[in-house]
């Protein structure tokens, strides 16, 4: 698979995650937060497990280990955002969670000793400015919830890097499926400890849970695990920065939520940042320069 095709698949994943905000909002009207996490990931795991049962039986220890690590990170990201929203605004949480765009290349430098290209750094900076314009509505004050959302962004950056490393040595399909099971299992455990687990009581609640499970989780995380083998973690982080743009688009179409002029400028900057990161610059050879002179 070419990197361009892998990036397009990651774009589709980001599109599905952008739609998840509408379904989560509806789903939380029927069940509690950890309960929703458990239903979302466990149903996705059961669905995928039923389809690829024979393949899962041949899972090796290395794939199982990486799946547990990714499942734990996936659950930790969800939990951090949930508790962060208790003491910070939605706009702050959206901006801070998008710091993954910055954390991915930063961790690549620190952990993987891979210095990102200048165009990727420039693209990340432009993208972050765009995310700020799109999501921030007030002054930036650091609260406990803000710190938890920053932690969520850092944890998801780690998830992206670990997925990139695991995809090189593990079965990517089994990896994508099993991490859903581990994340859902942890969600169920915490729901049993701190909540009263139940199933949605309304048709709308079930539709939200099933869309989160099938489209946003089953399809999304499996495609990510497969496609990320053919692209770079930095590209992945930048593409994921489109999530708030897609979320705003779904809110505009289905919930009649309109962006301000600043929000549209922010969305344009995010797209520009991705364009900068993907641009191929041609170097002018010395011979051509001499001929020109």
């Amino acid at each position: 698979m070419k990197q361009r095709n892998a990036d397009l698949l990651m774009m589709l994943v980001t599109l599905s995650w952008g739609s998840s905000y509408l379904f989560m909002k509806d789903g939380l009207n029927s069940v509690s937060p950890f309960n929703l996490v458990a239903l979302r990931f466990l149903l996705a795991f059961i669905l995928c497990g039923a389809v690829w049962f024979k393949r899962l039986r041949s899972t090796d220890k290395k794939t199982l280990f990486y799946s547990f690590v990714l499942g734990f990170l996936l659950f930790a990201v969800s939990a951090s955002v949930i508790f962060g929203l208790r003491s910070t605004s939605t706009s702050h949480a959206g901006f801070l969670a998008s710091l993954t765009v910055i954390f991915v290349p930063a961790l690549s430098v620190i952990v993987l000793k891979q210095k990102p290209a200048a165009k990727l750094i420039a693209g990340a900076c432009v993208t972050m400015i765009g995310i700020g314009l799109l999501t921030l509505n007030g002054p930036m004050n650091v609260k406990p919830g803000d710190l938890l959302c920053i932690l969520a962004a850092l944890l998801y950056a780690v998830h992206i890097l670990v997925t990139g490393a695991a995809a090189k040595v593990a079965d990517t399909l089994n990896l994508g499926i099993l991490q859903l099971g581990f994340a859902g299992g942890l969600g169920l455990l915490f729901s049993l400890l701190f909540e009263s687990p139940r199933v949605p009581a309304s048709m709308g609640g079930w539709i939200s849970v099933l869309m989160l499970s099938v489209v946003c989780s089953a399809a999304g995380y499996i495609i990510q695990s497969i496609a990320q083998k053919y692209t770079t973690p930095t590209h992945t982080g930048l593409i994921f920065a489109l999530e708030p743009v897609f979320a705003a688009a779904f809110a505009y179409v289905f919930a009649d939520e309109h962006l301000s002029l600043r929000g549209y400028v922010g969305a344009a900057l995010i797209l520009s940042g991705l364009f900068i990161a993907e641009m191929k610059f041609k170097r002018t050879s010395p011979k051509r320069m001499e001929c020109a002179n």
Side-chain angles (χ1 to χ4, degrees):
M1 183 187 297
K2 295 182 179 179
Q3 181 171 326
R4 184 185 298 275
N5 293 335
D7 287 344
L8 288 174
L9 286 175
M10 299 301 281
M11 190 83 71
L12 290 176
V13 171
T14 308
L15 176 64
S16 72
W17 289 343
S19 70
S20 68
Y21 291 96
L22 287 175
F23 299 125
M24 281 191 288
K25 185 176 181 180
D26 290 338
L28 286 173
N29 293 327
S30 301
V31 294
S32 49
F34 285 131
N35 196 167
L36 183 60
V37 172
L39 286 172
R40 172 181 180 176
F41 292 119
L42 284 179
L43 287 176
F45 171 69
I46 292 171
L47 174 64
C48 295
V51 175
W52 288 287
F53 175 72
K54 291 183 178 180
R55 182 160 178 168
L56 285 175
R57 292 176 61 184
S58 62
T59 301
D60 55 37
K61 293 181 179 179
K62 188 172 293 185
T63 300
L64 193 63
F65 169 75
Y66 275 113
S67 297
F68 173 76
V69 173
L70 291 174
F72 173 79
L73 289 170
L74 198 57
F75 168 77
V77 169
S78 300
S80 297
V81 173
I82 288 171
F83 286 104
L85 285 170
R86 291 184 172 183
S87 59
T88 191
S89 66
T90 303
S91 59
H92 278 200
F95 172 71
L96 294 172
S98 297
L99 285 173
T100 298
V101 177
I102 298 300
F103 285 140
V104 168
L107 289 176
S108 296
V109 173
I110 297 171
V111 179
L112 303 179
K113 309 299 181 182
Q114 298 176 354
K115 185 177 181 180
K119 64 176 184 178
L120 294 178
I121 297 175
C125 292
V126 173
T127 298
M128 285 308 302
I129 295 172
I131 291 173
L133 290 173
L134 181 67
T135 58
L136 285 178
N137 296 315
M140 195 67 176
N141 300 316
V142 179
K143 302 175 182 178
D146 294 330
L147 296 177
L148 284 172
C149 290
I150 292 174
L151 175 63
L154 178 60
L155 288 171
Y156 200 70
V158 175
H159 183 280
I160 291 173
L161 293 177
V162 173
T163 300
K168 298 177 181 178
V169 298
D171 185 313
T172 52
L173 179 60
N174 288 357
L175 188 71
I177 296 172
L178 291 173
Q179 70 168 317
L180 299 175
F182 284 119
L186 288 169
L188 179 60
L189 174 62
F190 276 74
S191 183
L192 289 170
L193 291 173
F194 302 106
E195 302 169 346
S196 298
R198 60 190 179 91
V199 296
S202 65
M203 180 60 70
W206 271 114
I207 291 174
S208 298
V209 168
L210 290 175
M211 288 299 294
L212 286 170
S213 298
V214 178
V215 177
C216 303
S217 299
Y221 287 105
I222 289 175
I223 292 174
Q224 178 198 357
S225 298
I226 296 173
Q228 198 171 325
K229 183 178 181 180
Y230 304 96
T231 188
T232 64
T234 303
H235 276 208
T236 301
L238 282 167
I239 292 170
F240 284 171
L242 278 172
E243 186 174 330
V245 177
F246 290 138
F250 279 106
Y252 177 83
V253 175
F254 297 104
D256 197 29
E257 295 181 7
H258 300 270
L259 290 176
S260 63
L261 176 60
R262 186 178 67 173
Y264 285 112
V265 172
L269 284 176
I270 291 175
L271 293 172
S272 298
L274 293 175
F275 177 75
I276 292 171
E278 294 292 338
M279 283 180 64
K280 293 183 178 180
F281 297 96
K282 294 182 179 181
R283 293 183 178 179
T284 304
S285 64
K287 290 183 179 181
R288 289 185 179 182
M289 292 180 65
E290 290 176 3
C291 292
N293 293 332

